[in-house]
Structures are given as structure tokens and as C-alpha cells.
Amino acid sequence: MLRELRRRWRSYRYRFVPWLALNLRRQRRTLRYVPESSQDKIIADEDVFETLLKIFKALFINDFSRQAEILALLPEVKCQYLELLTVEQKRSKVNSCNHQSQHVFSPEEVLFNTLGFAVSRDRSSLVSAGTGVFVTKGFVPKGTVVSMYPGTVYRKHEPIFFQSLGNPFIFRCIDGVLIDGNDKGLSRSVYRSCSRRDQLGPFQMSDESWLTATLQNPLAVGQYVNNCSHEKTANVCYQEFDVPGHFPVELKQYLPNIVYSHDIERWQQSVVQLGAIFLDSGGP
């Protein structure tokens, strides 16, 4: 009995009061409990990194005409993307070399053209589950990144009391870090405030579009992936990923996470965490 109480305290010690207030007369909330000794590496972080680079570069090239201000400050990077754009135009059988006349795809189409599948949010088929995530086009091989868990990243000592009230979208990482994936209310305001705080001139350090119905990063739907039920087993699982310090600055505009506390050194040490979700079998 005492062991179970200690386990619950370690899991909820930074959210203990709201947990009592909201859950004393209902079922235990679904805040993820992960033992400290857990390991979640299903595929290598290098594979996650390469997948994100691949889709983010494709999104950047697809939106090339709106990246002029960024590219003006990164001439070497501009040359690289012009080369990639030329290759993409040839692959798409576009005869014009003028990037401004290129065909612009939707983010979902870019995802399909790049990774071979598309995902979207829709009404879940699970009873009382609300919104879910579905593979709407293509096929997802086992062990492929299918979505990212967006939201504000909180270290264990940082305040999340008011954001946590009535909030079912808080994801607990193995090291106790919390990711608030709620796209409404106070959580939404906190994320936008932190995102605009960290913007450096034309360089956006995070993506705000997941707070809207029009996603810039089509992978930023992980908070709506439903848990398994008694009738349907889980076909995805979580893997945590630290964004490395050398992540291209021009592509950070597609990262759907922001740290709550402004800490330049922390960014350089690459401790921003994403809840990456991987397909196990079938579709989400």
C-alpha cells in the first residue's frame, strides 16, 4: 500500500493538487506514468532526425516563395535549397525554372509525396473518444514516424498547475518533463506567448499552426492519437526524441514544441523533447 502511494506521489508530485481536485470522484487521469528505468527507443534517434529533416525540407521547398526573408540571411543555405528545388521540379515534370511558378501542394500532399502516406484528425471510431488520427492515404511501414506530439515543454519544477486543470493532453516523458498538447484556453495562450518570445527576426523557432485547423506541419497531430481500448489494441507507440543543437534554423518553423522557460543555453544543449509516435501495425 505504501509503495503504491509513493509511486503515485512521484508521478503526480508537481500536479498533485489538481489531480486531487479533479479526480477524487472519477477514474484516474491518463497522465502517462513511466518508470525511471524505462527505455523507449524503437528506432534510432538518427532515423527520427533524418525523417524529420526529409519532411521539413519538403515543406520548406513547397513553400519556397514565402521563405525569401530567411534565405536572404542564409545565402549558402539558399543555394542548397535551389538545387533541391530544381530536382523537385524535374521530378514533378515542371518545365519552368522559376520557383515562383511552382505548383504548391497542401501539407498533407507534401507528406504523402515525401513519406508515402497522409494522416489527419477526424472523429474517432472509438466510443466516447472524440477526435482521433487516421491514415487517410497511402501505407505506413512498421517503425515509421507518423506524427509528433505538439505543445509547451515544462521541466519538473516549472508551473503547470492552472494549465493542467481539466486538461487531458499533458504527456509525461520518462525524465518527468511534461508536454502540454492542449490547443485551447490557457495552454494555447502560453504556447503562443513562448513561441513569439523566442522568434529571432524572420526565424521562427517553433510552429504555431497546430493550434489552428490549418496545419503547417501535417505530423503535428499526436495529441489526438487515442489510447487502445478493450476491443481495439494500440497500433502506435511513443518514442521521445531530443532535437539536436545542429537542427537547421530555417526548419525550426515546423517544430511544434516550445520550452516554457527562455534559456538560450538549454536550446544549445538540445534538450527540447518531442513526443514522436511510431506505427506498430495497421493504421492509427
Side-chain angles (χ1 to χ4, degrees):
M1 181 66 178
L2 290 176
R3 182 180 300 174
E4 176 65 12
L5 289 174
R6 284 196 297 267
R7 184 188 69 79
R8 289 198 177 193
W9 169 249
R10 285 194 299 268
S11 178
Y12 290 98
R13 54 187 169 182
Y14 299 105
R15 304 177 64 252
F16 193 62
V17 174
W19 177 70
L20 279 177
L22 296 176
N23 296 276
L24 192 58
R25 296 184 179 179
R26 66 177 70 174
Q27 291 182 345
R28 176 180 170 182
R29 290 181 70 179
T30 56
L31 177 66
R32 181 179 182 235
Y33 172 73
V34 186
E36 294 180 359
S37 60
S38 295
Q39 299 292 329
D40 71 341
K41 300 302 179 185
I42 297 173
I43 66 174
D45 282 346
E46 291 76 11
D47 294 335
V48 179
F49 179 74
E50 290 302 322
T51 298
L52 295 185
L53 278 187
K54 187 176 182 180
I55 182 62
F56 287 3
K57 285 182 178 180
L59 291 169
F60 188 91
I61 292 173
N62 185 65
D63 201 23
F64 199 85
S65 62
R66 296 204 308 126
Q67 307 294 345
E69 194 172 1
I70 290 176
L71 294 173
L73 300 174
L74 302 171
E76 294 183 0
V77 171
K78 180 178 181 178
C79 294
Q80 297 175 9
Y81 281 107
L82 283 173
E83 293 177 1
L84 291 174
L85 180 61
T86 301
V87 173
E88 178 64 22
Q89 288 175 335
K90 290 180 179 179
R91 187 184 70 83
S92 302
K93 297 181 180 180
V94 177
N95 296 323
S96 174
C97 295
N98 183 356
H99 66 261
Q100 292 183 346
S101 64
Q102 71 174 126
H103 176 70
V104 178
F105 296 94
S106 70
E108 291 76 17
E109 290 174 323
V110 174
L111 178 61
F112 176 75
N113 293 336
T114 306
L115 299 184
F117 64 88
V119 294
S120 68
R121 299 175 294 191
D122 204 345
R123 182 73 180 176
S124 176
S125 59
L126 299 178
V127 178
S128 302
T131 302
V133 176
F134 298 85
V135 176
T136 56
K137 190 177 183 181
F139 173 76
V140 183
K142 181 178 179 179
T144 301
V145 179
V146 294
S147 61
M148 301 172 69
Y149 200 99
T152 306
V153 180
Y154 294 85
R155 289 175 287 186
K156 291 188 290 185
H157 66 275
E158 292 174 338
I160 194 173
F161 175 87
F162 291 106
Q163 298 92 310
S164 71
L165 297 176
N167 184 353
F169 295 107
I170 295 179
F171 182 95
R172 184 182 186 275
C173 298
I174 291 174
D175 59 2
V177 166
L178 302 175
I179 304 178
D180 182 4
N182 193 359
D183 56 10
K184 298 179 178 62
L186 179 59
S187 299
R188 173 191 180 95
S189 299
V190 169
Y191 184 93
R192 281 192 163 177
S193 176
C194 293
S195 178
R196 294 170 187 181
R197 171 203 67 196
D198 288 352
Q199 183 170 345
L200 299 175
F203 297 101
Q204 295 180 345
M205 296 295 105
S206 62
D207 173 27
E208 294 184 24
S209 69
W210 68 274
L211 299 171
T212 71
T214 306
L215 300 182
Q216 179 174 289
N217 173 3
L219 293 176
V221 294
Q223 80 276 37
Y224 285 109
V225 173
N226 289 310
N227 296 326
C228 62
S229 66
H230 294 296
E231 295 77 23
K232 297 184 179 181
T233 59
N235 57 2
V236 296
C237 60
Y238 296 99
Q239 176 167 319
E240 296 168 23
F241 172 68
D242 292 344
V243 178
H246 60 276
F247 198 88
V249 66
E250 73 277 6
L251 299 181
K252 287 186 176 180
Q253 62 183 292
Y254 302 109
L255 290 174
N257 297 88
I258 194 73
V259 290
Y260 178 75
S261 293
H262 180 63
D263 189 339
I264 299 297
E265 183 179 358
R266 189 165 185 252
W267 276 104
Q268 294 173 343
Q269 292 177 349
S270 309
V271 294
V272 179
Q273 295 178 305
L274 305 177
I277 302 172
F278 298 84
L279 192 71
D280 190 24
S281 62

